[in-house]
Amino acid sequence: MLVKRIIPCLDVKNGRVVKGTHFQQLRDAGNPVELGKKYSEEGADELVFLDITASNEKRKTIVKLVKDVATELDIPFTVGGGINHVEDVREILLNGADKTSLNTAAIKNPELITEISARFGSQCVVIAIDAKRNYSSSKNKKFVQTLEGKCWFEVYIMGGQQPTGIDALSWANKAANLGAGEILLTSIDRDGTKKGFDIELTKAITGAINIPVIASGGAGESEHFLHVFTDAKADAALAASVFHYQNYPIPKIKQYLKEKGVNVRI
Amino acid sequence: MPLVSIIDYKVGNIFSMENALKKVGFRVEVNSESDKILQSDAVVLPGVGNFRVASQKLAPLKIVLNDYVHSGRLLLGSCLGMQLLFQNSEEGVGEGLNLIEGCVKKFNSNVKTPHMGWNNIKIENYNELLDGLSENSYFYFVHSYYPLLKNGDDVAASTIYGEKFASIVSKNNIHGCQFHPEKSGKTGLRLLENFARMTRK
């Protein structure tokens, strides 16, 4: 049986893994090559590497770092940040990545999804959506009832800095139709808070599309993973702080999930 | 150190396959030239890409790969590389190598495609490639098509995704796996170690 995946995420800035809260107040979390190797050995099902510097002049340094991390891994490897052209994808794949993650570039140029998917396959294209709850009334948005009130989920770009007015549900649908192979869905409200995943957000997206959804933002303990798999029907769960700072071991989370009847790879 | 040639179709990521084969004790070359292929101790057809495109790229090497296989040396196809061991595929026109009898079908629409992620195997017909593997062995899959074999004896292991399909095939010196062993952690390395050991014999 296909198992639920646990995916550690390395947010990389100037060659170091960093992590913040609500995409801000970044602090150092270690060396990407060492952390990647450690998580791979601990039983991570995949590894995600997001370059959050993403400035062009440092591109070569990032590619070299991707290669160094890839060399230590024997699990699937997704790389995102600063990918704007099909050729950027090719360069990343040649250096050991299996998938690329696109965020701002895909919003600005949705055709890029189709181009990459036609050339390298849809399994290669992960669309990263950073979404934030918006409680203000707005036309043509899909409102969802939550404990905190009715809201819709707004897509943010530029590392969570810029609201777009786009509904995350319709964007996820469009991305899937254009050829995306997976959605990496991050709740800005929950990012780095360790309060648990945004179940309503995740559930809304998994119910709307027919490609795998990786839930992200807010993981703090084993129970959070259980809820996002059973209540929100996520295919995979991604986390950073819980692994970097709390030294919460992946086998512990998987053992808990297994006891609760979730299929995991142990 | 035995020499393994990875056949390059110039589409996907062969970095990880190269890396993994080195780890299990091979000298690795990425080749698409006939004489180099014929000098190899083992040949790997890697995954990723489209059947039609890959079968076109492979067409000029068909005779040499046939000669190679008839010499009795080992061939391993992974993912798309496994599908190319068969005659044809629903993914597109083009001829595979036709080394194992069967065809390649698309998953039916009641499951999410691609079948992407970690899934386990059930051993159907044991051979040395499966040494140390069991029903608890998980491998990483990414595919929308799967092989349907004519002879059940050629199915070494099966996997269930909506329906049961052949996830490892073996016929004499010809082997294939639908998953990516180079992306499947310790279990994947175990399969490649078995392949390396069989090559040295």
Side-chain angles (χ1 to χ4, degrees):
Chain A
M1 252 184 107
L2 196 65
V3 301
K4 301 288 189 183
R5 291 170 277 157
I6 303 286
I7 308 176
C9 179
L10 310 178
D11 292 313
V12 178
K13 190 170 186 180
N14 302 322
R16 298 286 293 177
V17 177
V18 295
K19 187 61 203 163
T21 308
H22 306 302
F23 288 28
Q24 289 174 353
Q25 298 144 13
L26 302 179
R27 53 184 179 125
D28 190 84
N31 174 305
V33 180
E34 285 168 16
L35 279 175
K37 183 168 193 259
K38 177 179 156 221
Y39 295 143
S40 170
E41 285 170 354
E42 274 185 7
D45 296 309
E46 286 186 40
L47 187 74
V48 170
F49 176 116
L50 297 178
D51 166 28
I52 60 170
T53 341
S55 60
N56 288 326
E57 59 269 31
K58 295 206 173 122
R59 197 73 203 145
K60 283 209 170 81
T61 332
I62 286 294
V63 170
K64 164 83 170 57
L65 191 54
V66 163
K67 189 172 183 172
D68 290 346
V69 176
T71 308
E72 297 297 333
L73 299 181
D74 46 24
I75 54 172
F77 186 32
T78 301
V79 175
I83 292 163
N84 296 302
H85 306 283
V86 174
E87 283 313 309
D88 297 334
V89 177
R90 188 173 147 74
E91 189 181 30
I92 288 291
L93 297 183
L94 286 174
N95 284 283
D98 301 288
K99 313 179 193 182
T100 49
S101 156
L102 303 174
N103 192 331
T104 306
I107 288 275
K108 292 192 168 167
N109 175 20
E111 288 304 310
L112 189 58
I113 301 175
T114 314
E115 277 178 54
I116 299 171
S117 142
R119 174 125 176 230
F120 305 103
S122 65
Q123 84 291 338
C124 220
V125 191
V126 180
I127 294 302
I129 302 179
D130 296 332
K132 196 172 189 304
R133 292 181 176 201
N134 187 330
Y135 295 94
S136 59
S137 65
S138 180
K139 273 183 191 164
N140 304 322
K141 300 292 187 295
K142 181 117 165 68
F143 277 79
V144 172
Q145 186 66 54
T146 71
L147 285 176
E148 294 78 17
K150 272 193 161 182
C151 70
W152 59 284
F153 302 104
E154 185 172 12
V155 176
Y156 277 62
I157 55 170
M158 312 298 288
Q161 302 304 305
Q162 194 179 312
T164 60
I166 299 170
D167 188 334
L169 264 97
S170 62
W171 172 230
N173 238 317
K174 186 175 173 187
N177 290 333
L178 287 171
E182 251 176 330
I183 299 290
L184 165 50
L185 178 67
T186 301
S187 159
I188 297 175
D189 301 303
R190 296 300 177 93
D191 176 69
T193 63
K194 304 190 189 94
K195 287 180 183 163
F197 295 93
D198 188 334
I199 299 295
E200 280 89 358
L201 166 67
T202 312
K203 204 171 170 177
I205 302 284
T206 56
I209 57 173
N210 199 29
I211 56 173
V213 174
I214 305 166
S216 153
E221 50 189 279
S222 298
E223 225 181 13
H224 296 155
F225 289 89
L226 177 66
H227 288 151
V228 84
F229 289 139
T230 56
D231 301 340
K233 309 273 183 267
D235 299 275
L238 178 142
S241 316
V242 68
F243 300 130
H244 303 335
Y245 300 127
Q246 278 164 284
N247 208 8
Y248 213 95
I250 295 166
K252 188 176 158 186
I253 296 170
K254 287 194 167 182
Q255 194 57 45
Y256 170 84
L257 290 169
K258 194 183 172 189
E259 282 162 17
K260 296 288 177 187
V262 177
N263 277 310
V264 286
R265 175 182 72 107
I266 291 186
Chain B
M1 232 188 252
L3 170 68
V4 64
S5 281
I6 301 178
I7 309 295
D8 186 12
Y9 333 102
K10 311 247 185 277
V11 268
N13 162 18
I14 51 170
F15 178 93
S16 311
M17 184 56 98
E18 242 184 294
N19 211 6
L21 289 168
K22 279 179 196 162
K23 264 188 208 167
V24 300
F26 278 109
R27 191 153 56 87
V28 185
E29 281 185 13
V30 179
N31 279 321
S32 45
E33 293 141 53
S34 307
D35 49 340
K36 288 282 182 80
I37 293 171
L38 288 171
Q39 285 163 19
S40 311
D41 301 300
V43 167
V44 168
L45 290 172
V48 193
N50 170 287
F51 187 90
R52 185 182 53 84
V53 177
S55 67
Q56 280 168 1
K57 300 251 176 180
L58 211 55
L61 295 175
K62 228 172 157 179
I63 294 169
V64 65
L65 283 170
N66 252 305
D67 288 351
Y68 168 84
V69 162
H70 282 112
S71 74
R73 282 167 289 171
L74 292 182
L75 173 67
L76 176 68
S78 157
C79 197
L80 176 67
M82 177 230 219
Q83 297 179 355
L84 287 163
L85 301 176
F86 300 92
Q87 193 178 7
N88 51 42
S89 168
E90 289 182 357
E91 190 178 9
V93 288
E95 287 240 328
L97 295 168
N98 201 12
L99 294 169
I100 300 181
E101 282 184 278
C103 58
V104 180
K105 311 273 289 176
K106 192 174 184 7
F107 276 116
N108 74 35
S109 54
N110 58 17
V111 290
K112 282 186 191 181
T113 54
H115 169 218
M116 177 156 56
W118 295 81
N119 207 330
N120 60 340
I121 58 164
K122 177 173 184 286
I123 294 174
E124 303 282 351
N125 290 292
Y126 178 85
N127 73 71
E128 216 182 320
L129 190 67
L130 303 170
D131 187 53
L133 304 178
S134 72
E135 285 186 30
N136 294 319
S137 303
Y138 282 88
F139 294 94
Y140 188 75
F141 291 81
V142 184
H143 62 123
S144 302
Y145 298 82
Y146 66 93
L148 186 67
L149 279 74
K150 198 173 171 198
N151 304 316
D153 290 350
D154 300 338
V155 180
S158 63
T159 291
I160 294 174
Y161 185 62
E163 54 208 302
K164 189 158 119 171
F165 67 91
S167 47
I168 304 179
V169 297
S170 294
K171 187 181 180 185
N172 307 319
N173 55 327
I174 304 157
H175 302 274
C177 49
Q178 182 56 72
F179 47 80
H180 289 267
E182 77 281 15
K183 287 284 155 188
S184 299
K186 292 187 185 81
T187 3
L189 278 181
R190 178 62 192 250
L191 182 138
L192 293 176
E193 272 164 20
N194 293 344
F195 183 66
R197 193 181 56 252
M198 289 157 76
T199 305
R200 282 192 293 265
K201 275 190 180 168

